[in-house]
Amino acid sequence: MKRKYEFDEEIAECPLCNEFLCPPIHQCKNGHVACAGCCEKLKSKECPTCRAKPFAHSRNLGLEKMIESLQSACVHAPYGCTEVVKLKKEKHVEDACDYRQFKCPVPACSYTGPKREVPEHFRTLHNASVYRDPSGIRTRKFHIQYWKLNDRPHIVFVLDTELFVAHIHEVNNKCDLRFIMFACSSFGNDSLKYNIQITVKSKEGVSSTSKLDNALAFNNQTTGNIWEKDNLIILPNVDPTSELTLTLTLL
């Protein structure tokens, strides 16, 4: 029977920045190690510990192999995830874990729950339309035809590992002109970009198209304002009976 060994976590920390050591791990000629980021900053400079130069003298392949073999429970294990995560995390990315906890961005809603339950929460509690990847081949593109606004203020898109929501806000100004604004947001992704095009067809048969390209979807977990000026698409004079065709592409 194989013996189990305990591992001192400090051994796997970079002594310079205290972050977890990830390969490639370099060392000076006396064996003092540092993470790849610190080595890049030091480059040909001397070792901060023993002054040996250059610091990034060679790779510590033994320590790399040991660290790559380390396993731990997913950080979302307290919420039900049973995955055992290796350092490289090829098969299980914790940011995309179905058990990752998200708070609902709808004002006055106090719901917090796992990622996999968020679409159903929006559908049942906020009367949202929920759309999933129609192709099954991860094209990251949706095409919704003949969709009516009615009383649904949110559209939730479930695509690959992303949750993406379009908030629909109606504005009536002093001139009695009716505007519909779309503000798109992501759940926990600070770098998600998208293209969106919406064609509105009135009951009289008149069509108009609005689009927004290379827009950055704000992270609704870190901001309290869902009406950010940089990711709004405005549709003027939309009637509740108007038919909408929406094409959304995540970049």
Side-chain angles (χ1 to χ4, degrees):
M1 184 177 67
K2 291 184 178 181
R3 297 176 61 183
K4 292 184 179 181
Y5 298 90
E6 293 185 357
F7 186 82
D8 188 345
E9 293 183 4
E10 291 185 1
I11 296 176
E13 290 181 358
C14 174
L16 303 181
C17 66
N18 296 321
E19 294 294 329
F20 199 80
L21 283 169
C22 292
I25 301 171
H26 289 84
Q27 63 180 7
C28 75
K29 65 180 181 180
N30 293 318
H32 299 117
V33 300
C35 68
C38 287
C39 283
E40 179 63 25
K41 294 176 182 178
L42 292 171
K43 288 187 176 179
S44 60
K45 297 180 180 180
E46 63 185 19
C47 173
T49 303
C50 67
R51 306 303 178 188
K53 189 176 180 179
F55 175 68
H57 176 73
S58 61
R59 294 267 295 276
N60 190 323
L61 299 180
L63 184 57
E64 286 184 12
K65 186 175 181 179
M66 182 174 64
I67 287 181
E68 285 179 337
S69 69
L70 294 179
Q71 301 181 64
S72 66
C74 173
V75 295
H76 307 296
Y79 305 108
C81 184
T82 58
E83 291 283 345
V84 176
V85 182
K86 278 194 173 184
L87 179 63
K88 287 189 175 181
K89 304 178 183 178
E90 294 99 336
K91 295 182 179 180
H92 184 74
V93 180
E94 291 174 341
D95 284 348
C97 177
D98 281 343
Y99 291 89
R100 183 181 178 186
Q101 300 291 293
F102 287 117
K103 59 185 179 182
C104 180
V106 176
C109 182
S110 59
Y111 170 84
T112 297
K115 173 185 173 181
R116 61 178 184 169
E117 294 180 5
V118 169
E120 183 62 17
H121 165 78
F122 264 88
R123 190 185 69 81
T124 57
L125 272 296
H126 302 301
N127 198 29
S129 299
V130 177
Y131 292 92
R132 299 182 181 274
D133 187 348
S135 64
I137 57 175
R138 300 183 178 181
T139 60
R140 298 176 73 84
K141 184 174 182 177
F142 285 90
H143 183 74
I144 303 171
Q145 193 168 15
Y146 304 134
W147 175 70
K148 293 186 177 181
L149 289 174
N150 297 325
D151 297 320
R152 296 183 181 272
H154 308 283
I155 312 174
V156 178
F157 300 94
V158 184
L159 189 59
D160 200 359
T161 60
E162 298 292 347
L163 287 181
F164 187 83
V165 60
H167 308 272
I168 305 161
H169 182 57
E170 181 180 336
V171 177
N172 292 304
N173 60 20
K174 294 180 180 179
C175 299
D176 293 328
L177 295 177
R178 192 165 180 268
F179 292 83
I180 297 296
M181 299 196 302
F182 280 67
C184 298
S185 69
S186 70
F187 282 81
N189 189 333
D190 291 311
S191 59
L192 183 64
K193 290 188 175 183
Y194 65 96
N195 295 337
I196 188 170
Q197 177 176 299
I198 303 174
T199 298
V200 180
K201 182 178 180 181
S202 69
K203 60 183 179 180
E204 290 81 16
V206 179
S207 297
S208 61
T209 299
S210 301
K211 67 178 183 177
L212 194 62
D213 292 329
N214 200 34
L216 179 65
F218 69 92
N219 182 349
N220 61 35
Q221 299 298 291
T222 58
T223 180
N225 182 11
I226 65 173
W227 306 117
E228 298 290 334
K229 64 180 181 179
D230 293 333
N231 62 8
L232 288 179
I233 183 167
I234 301 176
L235 309 175
N237 301 323
V238 179
D239 187 90
T241 61
S242 299
E243 294 179 340
L244 286 81
T245 300
L246 181 149
T247 301
L248 170 72
T249 305
L250 298 190
L251 304 179

